[in-house]
Amino acid sequence: MSNSHLFLPSGFIRTPLQNGLGRYIPQLQRITLKFCKSHGGSRGVRDFIESDLMEFAKTNPGTVVYLKPRRHRSPCMVAEYLNGEREYLSCHEFSRDEVYKWLSYMCTRSGIPVMRFRKYQHTDYPTIQGVWNPFTHQAPEINVAEFPHEVLSKPNDQGPTATEQLIEIFKKTQMEDPANKPPN
Amino acid sequence: MVLDTVAYCRRLTVAVNVISKRNFKAHWVAPTLREFKRRKVIEEDRSGGPKIFHRSTFLEWNYDAEIFAFSNRLGEKFDDSSLRAALTHKSYIEREKARLSDIGLDSNLHFQDNEALSQKGGEMMSKFINGYLRAVFTQVPEELISAMHDFLTSNSTLETVAKHIGLGDLMLCADFPCKTETYVKSFKAIIAALAESSGEERARIFVQDLVVTQLYGQDVNELWNPVDPVGNLAAILKREGKAEPEFRLIRQAGSNSILAVYYVGVYSDKHFISEGAGESLEIAKEMAAREALKKFFHTEDSMRALPFGRQLKNIQSKIEQLENQPNLPFSEWISEKVMSAVH
């Protein structure tokens, strides 16, 4: 039991607009990379832009990539999602690989704020056969039965009692050896 | 295209989620920020909320790139002119013309608005939705089909869909924040633009993937309730030549209490059709008749799951065929007539 989830909102897994049911629409609308052209903290971002950015943009044609050089400011990325949410991440002193990994993380998000999932499945149709109620599987005979009833008043899964079992055993032994029957 | 006039409005909150990190700040930073926030809250309360700006007023905005991303996001190919026309509203054109004539320039704007496209798109969307509903709900009367169609084409549903595919930032319109009608119009125009660019088949799949999937999670029986279910059930059975429905009490509990429950079963010629439960005998009887109708129309709670996406590949031709062929109306419904159309 950790306390890292105390203030994290919790919920059931969900997706905006039944995404994936019809077609999958990548939810990342646009990503803005802000960096400094000279400061050392932006080196990873600059390296990423020079090497991996074009490939990223080609594999995600549904996401607009904006580059915003800002002097004397530490680098950051702001992701905007189709449901209107924004995610801000500071990329100060990130390496090129870290930038790439966080960027791919942003691609997989849907914009729904981070929350603890109570369950990893969700359905809008929780029951198909119908929820149990006390009348399910009841014999229709109870409607016109007069109680106490010799069959329905008893529990329906009751087996023979110990006394009855002993009597049965005794009767069996009686029948097996008729010579041992006590003379009348 | 950039909205030249400063377009902002007031809204309740503007949220930015921060992926937080551990950091070390001087002792005076937190109290300073707290004071800033306090003053900002007072100021915003006085003026009715924080300012929000249209995305196009930002420095990082490229309309051409946004349009390119829009079509790729959906996996569709649009003709550039059709798409831009679909996103341009009459109000925007009028505003631009007025602005240019105010300055004194000749307004020879070659913009095309989306009125015609929106009209055409609305009709196409209705047609595609009806085709799907009739192909999937084969046993259902036409009244329920129209109820489901009206739900899917309602302004609220279409506005949600339009917002979630990113139309909010792309539309050229004079109102900000954009009204529901603007979203709906743009969305319908997009459908028509898609049909023009990639063909009606692609537009049909687009509507099935985006609009019809909003039916998932909805209980179709909440959208339409037949009037006088008892009478209509009797009429249907009579038309089919079966014995008239007989209602019998099959379960009851707590008759003299608030939590009374009665189960009434419907029988036709001593064959069980359905049962319904209710707090009183009349309610239970009506529920039983409703359940019987649900059973006939195959819309019970245990009905088959609706097909979406790839599962529609085999029935696309059937959907196309049924676009112009309405189902039987409720007053003429007979199971023999609908048995021939098997899903």
Side-chain angles (χ1 to χ4, degrees):
Chain A
M1 301 300 289
S2 72
N3 60 2
S4 61
H5 297 152
L6 278 178
F7 300 112
L8 198 61
S10 66
F12 295 91
I13 194 161
R14 58 193 165 99
T15 179
L17 206 72
Q18 322 290 7
N19 197 18
L21 198 60
R23 66 180 63 178
Y24 172 69
I25 297 174
Q27 291 294 308
L28 185 60
Q29 200 177 8
R30 54 186 85 87
I31 182 120
T32 311
L33 292 169
K34 302 177 187 175
F35 61 101
C36 176
K37 282 189 193 170
S38 52
H39 195 78
S42 303
R43 183 166 63 123
V45 177
R46 287 197 301 265
D47 290 342
F48 171 81
I49 292 169
E50 281 165 16
S51 47
D52 299 322
L53 183 66
M54 286 307 290
E55 190 195 312
F56 171 81
K58 280 183 188 145
T59 47
N60 301 297
T63 305
V64 191
V65 179
Y66 291 108
L67 295 177
K68 193 171 182 185
R70 303 193 298 174
R71 283 191 317 163
H72 314 309
R73 303 273 213 111
S74 51
C76 66
M77 57 167 92
V78 176
E80 283 162 74
Y81 293 95
L82 286 174
N83 64 354
E85 293 279 347
R86 291 167 145 239
E87 282 269 348
Y88 168 94
L89 171 67
S90 161
C91 306
H92 186 63
E93 296 198 349
F94 272 20
S95 68
R96 173 187 139 190
D97 294 321
E98 275 186 288
V99 175
Y100 182 71
K101 282 181 184 167
W102 277 106
L103 204 51
S104 0
Y105 164 78
M106 296 294 203
C107 286
T108 61
R109 295 285 309 284
S110 70
I112 295 170
V114 170
M115 60 176 166
R116 173 182 69 85
F117 287 136
R118 291 182 210 167
K119 289 203 173 99
Y120 285 96
Q121 62 264 18
H122 170 83
T123 175
D124 283 299
Y125 305 101
T127 178
I128 294 180
Q129 296 180 24
V131 182
W132 181 92
N133 59 67
F135 291 125
T136 319
H137 306 312
Q138 287 297 328
E141 287 81 3
I142 59 176
N143 289 337
V144 290
E146 289 278 338
F147 288 94
H149 194 264
E150 50 180 15
V151 173
L152 294 170
S153 287
K154 298 211 178 84
N156 60 0
D157 55 350
Q158 193 186 47
T161 61
T163 313
E164 284 169 16
Q165 284 182 40
L166 281 172
I167 294 173
E168 279 299 314
I169 293 168
F170 178 67
K171 281 195 185 140
K172 272 202 190 134
T173 56
Q174 293 269 292
M175 284 193 296
E176 268 170 36
D177 217 353
N180 283 351
K181 222 170 159 178
N184 281 339
Chain B
M1 295 292 127
V2 171
L3 284 179
D4 289 6
T5 53
V6 170
Y8 69 78
C9 74
R10 300 267 174 193
R11 204 193 262 169
L12 279 172
T13 50
V14 181
V16 177
N17 299 316
V18 179
I19 298 180
S20 40
K21 279 178 163 167
R22 192 176 257 270
N23 45 27
F24 300 98
K25 299 260 190 268
H27 69 277
W28 47 262
V29 174
T32 313
L33 291 175
R34 247 177 250 137
E35 180 60 23
F36 281 155
K37 170 120 193 221
R38 193 184 69 86
R39 293 187 194 184
K40 191 176 178 188
V41 160
I42 292 170
E43 191 55 49
E44 283 172 0
D45 281 343
R46 212 179 284 159
S47 44
K51 281 189 199 171
I52 53 158
F53 296 87
H54 195 278
R55 189 64 178 75
S56 58
T57 57
F58 286 32
L59 205 59
E60 56 268 21
W61 175 259
N62 184 334
Y63 195 64
D64 300 327
E66 295 282 338
I67 291 215
F68 176 80
F70 174 76
S71 45
N72 277 299
R73 187 183 302 143
L74 298 169
E76 305 284 356
K77 285 195 180 59
F78 285 93
D79 279 342
D80 203 48
S81 50
S82 307
L83 183 54
R84 282 171 196 265
L87 293 167
T88 314
H89 284 259
K90 214 162 57 170
S91 54
Y92 175 79
I93 298 175
E94 280 162 13
R95 194 188 62 178
E96 290 297 302
K97 281 202 175 125
R99 198 171 58 87
L100 286 177
S101 54
D102 277 346
I103 299 175
L105 290 166
D106 200 9
S107 49
N108 260 346
L109 293 170
H110 298 293
F111 285 132
Q112 210 207 339
D113 67 13
N114 62 4
E115 292 291 322
L117 279 173
S118 160
Q119 180 74 18
K120 196 170 138 211
E123 285 164 9
M124 293 178 89
M125 185 172 66
S126 280
K127 196 172 70 161
F128 297 149
I129 289 173
N130 276 330
Y132 173 92
L133 292 173
R134 287 171 192 149
V136 169
F137 294 98
T138 47
Q139 324 275 36
V140 145
E142 189 60 22
E143 281 86 343
L144 178 49
I145 302 273
S146 336
M148 290 192 274
H149 163 272
D150 292 341
F151 165 75
L152 287 173
T153 52
S154 65
N155 276 358
S156 53
T157 314
L158 291 181
E159 190 195 359
T160 316
V161 177
K163 276 186 176 163
H164 278 86
I165 57 174
L167 281 183
D169 300 325
L170 295 174
M171 291 192 298
L172 300 172
C173 49
D175 43 316
F176 177 71
C178 304
K179 297 192 212 104
T180 312
E181 296 83 41
T182 319
Y183 277 109
V184 172
K185 229 182 201 178
S186 293
F187 186 70
K188 291 179 178 170
I190 294 277
I191 297 173
L194 181 58
E196 267 181 30
S197 320
S198 310
E200 202 171 292
E201 186 66 39
R202 294 292 316 177
R204 183 177 295 116
I205 296 174
F206 180 80
V207 170
Q208 283 165 1
D209 283 347
L210 260 73
V211 183
V212 177
T213 48
Q214 301 308 306
L215 200 55
Y216 177 83
Q218 276 290 328
D219 183 5
V220 296
N221 296 303
E222 278 177 26
L223 296 174
W224 175 73
N225 273 317
V227 268
D228 185 25
V230 176
N232 276 309
L233 174 64
I236 289 175
L237 287 172
K238 190 171 172 200
R239 260 179 261 139
E240 292 178 5
K242 298 207 175 99
E244 66 169 14
E246 205 183 324
F247 293 87
R248 291 290 185 101
L249 181 65
I250 48 181
R251 311 277 193 207
Q252 71 173 40
S255 332
N256 285 334
S257 67
I258 308 173
L259 298 176
V261 62
Y262 299 93
Y263 272 75
V264 166
V266 189
Y267 296 83
S268 166
D269 194 24
K270 295 187 187 162
H271 288 292
F272 177 80
I273 302 179
S274 68
E275 64 174 356
E279 298 99 359
S280 72
L281 281 168
E282 292 76 30
I283 297 174
K285 187 177 171 186
E286 193 181 319
M287 292 309 291
R290 287 232 181 109
E291 282 295 324
L293 290 174
K294 277 198 228 177
K295 218 176 205 162
F296 289 157
F297 303 151
H298 290 234
T299 54
E300 318 107 301
D301 287 347
S302 56
M303 76 180 205
R304 251 186 160 181
L306 299 174
F308 295 114
R310 281 195 307 248
Q311 298 160 329
L312 294 173
K313 237 193 250 187
N314 295 335
I315 58 169
Q316 284 292 5
S317 53
K318 185 173 160 202
I319 290 173
E320 230 178 295
Q321 192 192 1
L322 289 173
E323 271 167 17
N324 295 317
Q325 222 178 305
N327 275 13
L328 278 176
F330 193 28
S331 48
E332 293 166 29
W333 197 93
I334 279 188
S335 38
E336 281 91 34
K337 279 194 190 163
V338 300
M339 247 353 129
S340 49
V342 173
H343 170 45

